[in-house]
Amino acid sequence: MSFRRGVVRQSKFRHVFAQAWKAEHCMDDVRVTRVTWEAPLCAANPKFIALIVEAGGGGAFLVLPLNKSGRVDQNTPTVCGHAAPVLDVQWCPHDDNVIASASEDCTVKVWQIPDGGLKAPMTEAIVTLEGHSKRVGILAWHPTALNILLTAGCDNLLCIWDVGTGELVYQLSDAHPDLIYSVCWNREGNIICTTCKDKALRVIDPRRGTVLKVKEKAHEGTRPMRALFLSDGKILTTGFSRMSERQLALWDMRDLTEPMAIQEMDTSNGVLLPFYDPDTNMVYLCGKGDCTIRYFEVTDESPYVHFISLYSSKEPQRGAGFLCKRGVDVNKCEIARFYKLHERKVEPISMTVPRKSDLFQGDLYPDTAGPEPSLLAEDWIAGQDAPPLLISLSGGYVAPASKHKDTLRGRPKLSLQSANSGPAATATPVARETDVETPAPAKVVQETEAVTDKARTEEDQLNEILAEVRALKAVVLAQGQRIDLLERHLAHIEDGDV
């Protein structure tokens, strides 16, 4: 009997493996919230990890340094300014010290976390956004425009805010007839895709307030769906079939008639939360209540969605935080990291590509989205679009101090257009309060300028050091290649070839 060898698909991510960190590097005694909302319950960036926790009366979340390990003291200060449980937290992509939280108290709050973490409980937000009439469970920062935040609530409203001024700039009130399950911006931030309880997948232009595409019954099951944009404009969804099988589907936004690919996995009840890495085009699926994390690579070759492997453990996950690419350890060829939430523990899980060389692997780390915004809020509101500003991860990424503190101005009770006032249009632009400004005292302005100058000086020094490190690495690499060439030449001489 003869066997024919199949053609193996070539991919540098084919051998990615997942590995949980050792027990001493986990965070223990963390009382993860028991709220039933289908959300990750956790968010991480290069500086901090935020975890929604149990709170007696009101809502709270922990903010811990990313390198925190060991037991978390029960007296650790929390961010506890909400009057009801917190449902979602999201770090600002343009300032690693700014985080937004959404709550059952119908508000969204934006917080400024000091470098080093909290020393005392934080109850006063820098901005409170009040525009929803029911609980708010979804947050999505704009990927390229500074201070633009999208929120979705159980009142079926989509609200878009300028966090810098605390103003509601767009409100989409009749795009969804039922509960919104998920919202995701595309890479440039000019359109969004949403999923809804009516089983429809929608593509929406939020500034014009128009629904561009609709796919009815993207997944026929009754359980919640999720959708996210890929970097090339395709849409990936997770949901359930009519027979309650969990599904993963890929859609071409130009034609939503049929999916480009669809995979059925199992009949578990947990909602699949998709996480996407645009640099590697890999998708990770974490099911709440599952003991596994599946990961796939999306390519332009049929069948388009390629299963790579599955990480399995004994303990089910309550939620999971996905670390942005700027926070991974490039020296260990780590391409992604999760923070798996147990009932009373947080466990980091690294996704790693096995490589023998200790040098920076440029093919694994293309330039990634940096913290600098491409646009200001007013530019995006005026109709401008721009792709993310990219940075190199060569030499590793060092998170700078917060730069945009002066752009976030808290205001007492904002007078926003009520969700129930009058016949709302599809997208309601709200008047911006730009005509009245209270001049700041000269002393405050001088102090702000001094702090800004100091931060710039420190950043310049840091950039010089990083540039020198990169230059030295290049010299070492060149000398290594030269030594290798000379050794080969010497071997030829010894063999009598020359």
Side-chain angles (χ1 to χ4, degrees):
M1 183 183 290
S2 62
F3 292 94
R4 239 166 126 194
R5 213 167 187 188
V7 177
V8 178
R9 187 179 68 90
Q10 294 299 313
S11 170
K12 52 181 168 281
F13 303 113
R14 198 159 52 90
H15 300 293
V16 170
F17 68 96
Q19 187 169 25
W21 290 22
K22 294 181 179 178
E24 58 265 29
H25 299 303
C26 297
M27 302 177 203
D28 296 310
D29 214 14
V30 178
R31 296 174 300 159
V32 177
T33 181
R34 295 182 179 276
V35 69
T36 56
W37 189 252
E38 300 289 356
L41 309 180
C42 175
N45 69 18
K47 285 186 179 181
F48 302 106
I49 179 172
L51 310 154
I52 304 176
V53 294
E54 284 288 289
F61 61 95
L62 270 174
V63 175
L64 302 170
L66 196 67
N67 58 4
K68 169 69 179 174
S69 61
R71 182 177 177 273
V72 177
D73 192 280
Q74 294 299 310
N75 297 319
T76 301
T78 61
V79 181
C80 50
H82 283 286
V86 176
L87 300 180
D88 195 14
V89 288
Q90 292 292 331
W91 290 103
C92 174
H94 305 124
D95 191 332
D96 290 336
N97 294 68
V98 173
I99 188 170
S101 59
S103 169
E104 286 188 3
D105 65 8
C106 308
T107 68
V108 173
K109 294 179 182 286
V110 181
W111 314 83
Q112 184 94 35
I113 306 299
D115 282 325
L118 300 180
K119 306 301 180 187
M122 181 175 284
T123 58
E124 293 297 322
I126 49 175
V127 180
T128 297
L129 308 174
E130 298 173 335
H132 290 279
S133 59
K134 293 185 179 179
R135 61 181 180 171
V136 189
I138 297 174
L139 300 168
W141 288 95
H142 194 284
T144 63
L146 180 65
N147 290 338
I148 294 294
L149 176 65
L150 185 150
T151 64
C154 293
D155 49 9
N156 309 337
L157 282 182
L158 284 176
C159 295
I160 297 178
W161 310 82
D162 179 353
V163 174
T165 60
E167 293 169 296
L168 177 61
V169 291
Y170 295 105
Q171 181 176 281
L172 288 81
S173 58
D174 58 0
H176 300 88
D178 212 328
L179 179 66
I180 301 167
Y181 283 146
S182 72
V183 179
C184 181
W185 296 94
N186 70 337
R187 190 165 173 82
E188 289 76 26
N190 59 337
I191 54 177
I192 58 175
C193 66
T194 69
T195 57
C196 180
K197 195 174 182 179
D198 67 354
K199 305 180 185 178
L201 167 66
R202 292 174 174 84
V203 179
I204 300 172
D205 182 335
R207 286 175 296 199
R208 290 166 53 200
T210 54
V211 179
L212 305 176
K213 300 272 186 179
V214 180
K215 171 58 182 175
E216 305 286 350
K217 294 187 178 180
H219 295 275
E220 296 191 352
T222 56
R223 300 279 290 144
M225 296 165 43
R226 290 288 185 275
L228 49 79
F229 265 113
L230 305 188
S231 56
D232 60 1
K234 295 185 181 72
I235 300 173
L236 185 134
T237 62
T238 62
F240 292 78
S241 71
R242 188 181 299 171
M243 303 302 291
S244 297
E245 293 174 309
R246 295 198 293 190
Q247 295 178 321
L248 169 68
L250 183 68
W251 306 83
D252 186 340
M253 196 191 75
R254 295 168 296 183
D255 183 8
L256 297 178
T257 308
E258 293 292 333
M260 296 174 62
I262 189 163
Q263 291 194 19
E264 294 182 345
M265 280 164 280
D266 55 32
T267 54
S268 177
N269 288 328
V271 174
L272 287 170
L273 303 178
F275 299 92
Y276 174 60
D277 178 3
D279 301 331
T280 60
N281 233 27
M282 287 184 61
V283 175
Y284 304 86
L285 301 184
C286 300
K288 297 195 76 171
D290 286 6
C291 300
T292 59
I293 299 175
R294 294 174 172 86
Y295 39 107
F296 304 79
E297 184 181 2
V298 183
T299 69
D300 294 328
E301 305 168 4
S302 181
Y304 307 110
V305 180
H306 307 273
F307 175 74
I308 295 178
S309 189
L310 177 145
Y311 166 77
S312 182
S313 62
K314 295 179 181 179
E315 297 291 328
Q317 54 223 12
R318 300 279 297 277
F322 187 57
L323 181 64
C324 74
K325 186 56 71 71
R326 292 182 289 119
V328 301
D329 189 345
V330 299
N331 296 317
K332 295 181 179 178
C333 295
E334 181 186 47
I335 60 169
R337 187 189 307 166
F338 283 89
Y339 288 87
K340 176 182 174 179
L341 304 189
H342 298 250
E343 189 170 353
R344 293 186 72 88
K345 184 174 81 169
V346 181
E347 179 185 37
I349 299 171
S350 290
M351 303 290 177
T352 306
V353 177
R355 291 282 173 93
K356 293 181 180 179
S357 174
D358 292 331
L359 298 175
F360 176 71
Q361 305 294 305
D363 62 322
L364 300 182
Y365 301 101
D367 289 354
T368 190
E372 284 297 324
S374 306
L375 301 168
L376 297 176
E378 49 266 34
D379 298 330
W380 183 80
I381 293 167
Q384 295 184 38
D385 296 313
L389 296 179
L390 305 181
I391 60 170
S392 171
L393 292 180
S394 177
Y397 174 79
V398 179
S402 179
K403 295 181 184 178
H404 304 295
K405 292 182 183 180
D406 55 332
T407 65
L408 293 166
R409 301 192 298 276
R411 296 184 179 181
K413 298 234 175 178
L414 303 169
S415 70
L416 298 174
Q417 183 169 341
S418 170
N420 300 322
S421 61
T426 306
T428 310
V430 180
R432 296 171 59 77
E433 300 175 12
T434 54
D435 299 331
V436 182
E437 285 289 343
T438 305
K443 183 179 178 183
V444 175
V445 173
Q446 291 171 359
E447 290 178 355
T448 304
E449 290 176 351
V451 171
T452 304
D453 291 342
K454 183 180 177 182
R456 285 175 182 163
T457 302
E458 291 176 352
E459 185 183 0
D460 290 343
Q461 292 174 349
L462 178 62
N463 288 335
E464 288 176 6
I465 293 171
L466 290 175
E468 188 173 351
V469 169
R470 284 194 290 268
L472 287 171
K473 283 187 174 183
V475 170
V476 170
L477 179 61
Q479 294 298 333
Q481 292 171 344
R482 176 65 177 164
I483 291 170
D484 186 45
L485 180 65
L486 290 173
E487 286 178 342
R488 287 202 302 269
H489 189 54
L490 181 60
H492 290 159
I493 292 174
E494 291 175 346
D495 292 341
D497 295 341
V498 178

